[in-house]
Amino acid sequence: MLRIRFHGRGGQGMKTASRIVGTAAFREGYFARYSPVYGAERRGAPVTAFTRIDDSPILERRIITNPDMVVVADDALLDDAQAKPLQGLVSSGTVIMSFTQPEKVIRERYQISGPLVMMDSTELALSHTGTLAALSVVLGAATCQVAGLHLRSVEQAVQEELDTLGISPDQVAKNLRLVKVCYEMVSVLASLQIGQPASVTPPPRCT
Amino acid sequence: MKREMLTGNTAAAWGARLAEVDYVPAFPITPQTEIIENLTHWFAEGILTGKFVMMESEHSMLTAAGAAAATGAQVFTATSSQGLLYAYKLLYTVAGWRVPLVLVNVSRALASPITLEPDHDDILSARDSGFLQIHAETGQEVLDSILMAYRLAEDQRVPLPVLVNLDGFYLSFTREPVLIPALEEVRAFLPPYTPTHALFSASHPMAQRIAVLGGTLYSFFKYQMHLAAQNALAVYPEVAKQFEAIFCRHYGLIEEYYLDDAEYVLVMSNAFATKGEAAVQRFREQGIPLGLLRLRIIRPFPVQSIVTALTGRKAVAVIDQNLSVGFGGITYGEIASALYGVKDSPLLLSYVGGLGGKDISVAEFDQILEDLQQRVTTGHVPPPRLLYTDLEAAQMEKFLQIAGKEERG
């Protein structure tokens, strides 16, 4: 099972990012389960979301204490005593984050030994879509690529999730172009491959 | 039929949509609101053609729901936690009207202290009201149970309203794969409701909800409700069989997980049962014959099914995600009463956990298993254990220090 934990602040799109990754995996034939955690809903407050992907039915719910991968939308959260995004990360686990500091600084300061994927999320989101809401797409797409999901599944997932949110077709098109850009910026980390997608079996025939 | 990623709430809304309900009176409350958000969209788009009314409270909501059902309309509504308690008086009142509405409750722990996350103190407080209760573990089961609930509620041997329960957050806001059945299949299973007991018909006046003075009348009607609820135990398997014939999914009065050869059994309900199933898998890999009984139909209480499933086991741990203050776990008491005097009944231990959405960790399941194995040797049954980890206790200690309350009373 691949366990991914997303950290951000209310409004930064981490709930949507977790849905993009879960839906992309589902469209590819995997089992997926994902849910967010937030207190009283308010912008700027820490938000956590969890996505699990597996090739068999998932017997876990909600809190992921030992993620294989953490995705951090706001590097200021790394010092947040409540959010603690890196807590419980498996040894050599993967970190995907928006950067405002050099990789070396981040690695040393937070003792990150595993793969570290840094995305200039704010710049990418603003230059392609004109809105920071696209952080969800930047980090969602990067996570999907790192996890080895196909571009087509991710495009489909982004289309579905943004449609659900009532985003205009014009804006969705910009986000889809952004998906491609992000996909080309990062590479698949083979260690995170989830195994074969479960064959989407038709429902059992009634006897 | 299509397979989609749905939250538990959206699965509940799909249940109401596929049942093609006539009337939805609603009032929002976290974590239930997404159910009525979905329904308002479908009413606005004309996919649902009945009537949606936003009420000013849960008290009015359930009054409207019961009154509409008494005219013969097929009614759906949903609430949670404090909302259910605000409508509490109406639960008893409407159940006594013997009208077949379906009410979804999204479990959320009760104030005080106030919180958003789930336990079952809300839904179980309604266990004596006359509403039947179905508790669901997955999004699929939520959708399916709403369809089955209408069949059960509308059966002439039963006529009683039904509560369908799902856990807040762990299921309400959790997306997982759900098969959405085709409308034609649902229509084959759940034909349009034709009321015979309570209905409005021009020139055919009907006296409903009249006052009865004197215990003879009152007792008669109350006993009728109890016997009708008992009838549901016989009606349910018929409904489940027809459901399976059309949709190929079976749901029992209780759900059995690796029970066949189990010497030790966990009893759980709702979404946390998934964590129990993971524990069963883990212990089975170690060669320990553990199984899980999931309570699904809680009213009527399926005494016979529970007795059959638990008799002959070595030891059983009932994990209640509720706390009857001053007593302990509610379902523990009910299961103990079911097993009273039964030959070969197992050692029965009580645990309270998952209150206010507190996780039940791997370490806690380990402790429970250790207890079960130990107690079989000693035969001693301790008072209910309140699950809390050392880490949680240490964190709590810090909070108490911050609050200047380190000296606990």
Side-chain angles (χ1 to χ4, degrees):
Chain A
M1 189 187 310
L2 178 64
R3 300 174 179 86
I4 312 171
R5 199 171 65 197
F6 296 79
H7 295 268
R9 297 180 183 279
Q12 286 182 330
M14 284 305 93
K15 175 178 162 183
T16 303
S18 106
R19 289 186 156 192
I20 288 169
V21 177
T23 300
F26 171 70
R27 289 294 169 216
E28 216 152 287
Y30 290 105
F31 288 89
R33 176 173 277 157
Y34 40 105
S35 60
V37 173
Y38 36 80
E41 294 163 46
R42 62 194 163 97
R43 299 256 148 177
V47 168
T48 311
F50 310 104
T51 298
R52 291 177 171 89
I53 303 168
D54 208 349
D55 54 2
S56 56
I58 295 166
L59 289 183
E60 292 180 12
R61 286 187 178 278
R62 212 136 182 262
I63 294 156
I64 294 175
T65 44
N66 298 111
D68 301 298
M69 202 191 291
V70 295
V71 182
V72 187
D74 182 347
D75 65 358
L77 283 173
L78 292 171
D79 293 317
D80 188 291
Q82 285 290 321
K84 294 182 187 159
L86 300 176
Q87 193 175 49
L89 179 66
V90 298
S91 91
S92 300
T94 303
V95 179
I96 300 176
M97 58 182 289
S98 307
F99 73 78
T100 55
Q101 301 169 62
E103 177 175 341
K104 192 163 169 279
V105 175
I106 295 277
R107 272 197 184 279
E108 278 174 15
R109 184 159 175 193
Y110 301 103
Q111 309 276 301
I112 298 169
S113 58
L116 175 61
V117 179
M118 311 268 284
M119 302 292 290
D120 191 356
S121 310
T122 306
E123 169 59 23
L124 283 164
L126 286 177
S127 62
H128 284 83
T129 69
T131 163
L132 276 175
L135 279 180
S136 59
V137 170
V138 172
L139 292 169
T143 307
C144 288
Q145 167 71 325
V146 167
L149 296 170
H150 296 121
L151 176 62
R152 225 182 112 194
S153 323
V154 185
E155 287 171 337
Q156 196 183 350
V158 167
Q159 177 91 49
E160 283 178 36
E161 295 305 327
L162 299 189
D163 282 351
T164 307
L165 293 170
I167 309 292
S168 71
D170 175 49
Q171 197 64 18
V172 172
K174 287 181 188 168
N175 276 282
L176 288 172
R177 282 195 289 278
L178 179 56
V179 168
K180 216 163 194 172
V181 170
C182 295
Y183 243 67
E184 282 158 12
M185 292 177 80
V186 294
S187 43
V188 180
L189 294 168
S191 61
L192 296 170
Q193 299 265 4
I194 317 152
Q196 288 305 305
S199 55
V200 183
T201 46
R205 214 173 293 150
C206 298
T207 47
Chain B
M1 183 175 62
K2 53 181 178 171
R3 196 159 170 269
E4 293 291 342
M5 294 297 292
L6 299 185
T7 61
N9 278 342
T10 306
W14 266 101
R17 170 172 163 169
L18 291 168
E20 299 179 282
V21 294
D22 299 318
Y23 180 56
V24 180
F27 191 78
I29 176 171
T30 300
Q32 156 268 28
T33 306
E34 190 186 8
I35 298 176
I36 58 174
E37 278 174 357
N38 277 298
L39 291 173
T40 51
H41 286 304
W42 293 333
F43 275 107
E45 290 164 19
I47 294 167
L48 281 169
T49 54
K51 185 135 180 89
F52 179 96
V53 180
M54 191 65 83
M55 309 301 288
E56 84 285 7
S57 75
E58 290 86 355
H59 188 280
S60 303
M61 179 189 91
L62 200 54
T63 309
T71 69
Q74 194 179 48
V75 180
F76 176 85
T77 188
T79 188
S80 170
S81 190
Q82 270 78 238
L84 185 74
L85 263 63
Y86 195 45
Y88 196 68
K89 172 184 128 183
L90 270 304
L91 290 170
Y92 282 74
T93 305
V94 165
W97 297 351
R98 309 292 304 273
V99 289
L101 64 92
V102 174
L103 167 61
V104 164
N105 182 67
V106 185
S107 265
R108 164 181 161 185
L110 294 167
S112 288
I114 196 160
T115 188
L116 297 171
E117 305 215 20
D119 65 36
H120 306 138
D121 280 348
D122 60 354
I123 179 73
L124 290 179
S125 78
R127 69 189 183 277
D128 303 331
S129 66
F131 271 67
L132 308 183
Q133 290 197 9
I134 306 177
H135 291 233
E137 178 187 353
T138 63
Q140 186 72 60
E141 193 180 349
V142 170
L143 193 162
D144 293 346
S145 294
I146 289 169
L147 303 177
M148 296 171 95
Y150 279 108
R151 279 288 303 271
L152 206 55
E154 291 168 4
D155 193 287
Q156 285 311 298
R157 293 163 287 178
V158 177
L160 281 168
V162 181
L163 264 161
V164 175
N165 192 67
L166 65 140
D167 282 341
F169 290 80
Y170 284 81
L171 189 49
S172 74
F173 297 151
T174 299
R175 276 210 214 162
E176 51 192 38
V178 176
L179 269 171
I180 302 173
L183 187 57
E184 305 78 61
E185 285 180 334
V186 174
R187 284 175 177 161
F189 173 72
L190 183 65
Y193 172 45
T194 43
T196 54
H197 164 66
L199 59 128
F200 177 80
S201 175
S203 306
H204 291 92
M206 185 185 280
Q208 295 188 24
R209 56 156 300 192
I210 52 164
V212 292
L213 299 174
T216 309
L217 280 166
Y218 184 86
S219 297
F220 173 81
F221 287 113
K222 211 67 193 185
Y223 289 165
Q224 286 281 311
M225 282 171 74
H226 177 64
L227 296 172
Q230 294 295 321
N231 283 349
L233 286 174
V235 173
Y236 177 79
E238 294 173 17
V239 172
K241 202 173 165 190
Q242 285 168 24
F243 187 90
E244 187 181 8
I246 295 174
F247 302 104
C248 308
R249 291 187 291 279
H250 179 79
Y251 300 97
L253 288 160
I254 55 170
E255 285 290 298
E256 304 188 4
Y257 189 79
Y258 284 85
L259 271 193
D260 283 352
D261 61 343
E263 293 177 12
Y264 303 98
V265 179
L266 303 174
V267 178
M268 300 181 76
S269 71
N270 291 277
F272 271 58
T274 305
K275 292 172 183 286
E277 288 158 18
V280 168
Q281 294 276 4
R282 202 158 49 80
F283 284 103
R284 287 265 165 184
E285 279 164 23
Q286 297 167 27
I288 297 169
L290 178 67
L292 185 140
L293 184 162
R294 181 164 63 82
L295 298 171
R296 176 172 140 77
I297 311 281
I298 291 186
R299 281 295 180 273
F301 198 61
V303 170
Q304 199 47 56
S305 304
I306 289 169
V307 167
T308 304
L310 295 184
T311 303
R313 313 294 176 181
K314 277 186 181 165
V316 174
V318 180
I319 306 176
D320 271 291
Q321 203 181 350
N322 62 75
L323 180 57
S324 168
V325 175
F327 173 71
I330 293 168
T331 67
Y332 174 80
E334 301 206 336
I335 291 165
S337 107
L339 290 170
Y340 179 76
V342 172
K343 197 168 166 283
D344 292 330
S345 65
L347 200 70
L348 198 64
L349 303 188
S350 174
Y351 294 84
V352 172
L355 296 188
K358 189 188 104 59
D359 192 23
I360 301 181
S361 61
V362 167
E364 285 156 281
F365 282 109
D366 286 349
Q367 182 65 54
I368 291 169
L369 253 290
E370 198 185 310
D371 282 359
L372 287 177
Q373 289 171 317
Q374 262 181 17
R375 298 291 173 181
V376 167
T377 324
T378 65
H380 174 66
V381 177
R385 290 197 75 168
L386 310 176
L387 297 175
Y388 214 64
T389 63
D390 288 340
L391 183 66
E392 287 166 335
Q395 279 171 343
M396 197 61 227
E397 202 66 33
K398 270 189 199 162
F399 289 137
L400 288 169
Q401 274 168 16
I402 292 165
K405 301 274 188 190
E406 61 269 42
E407 282 180 34
R408 282 170 293 171

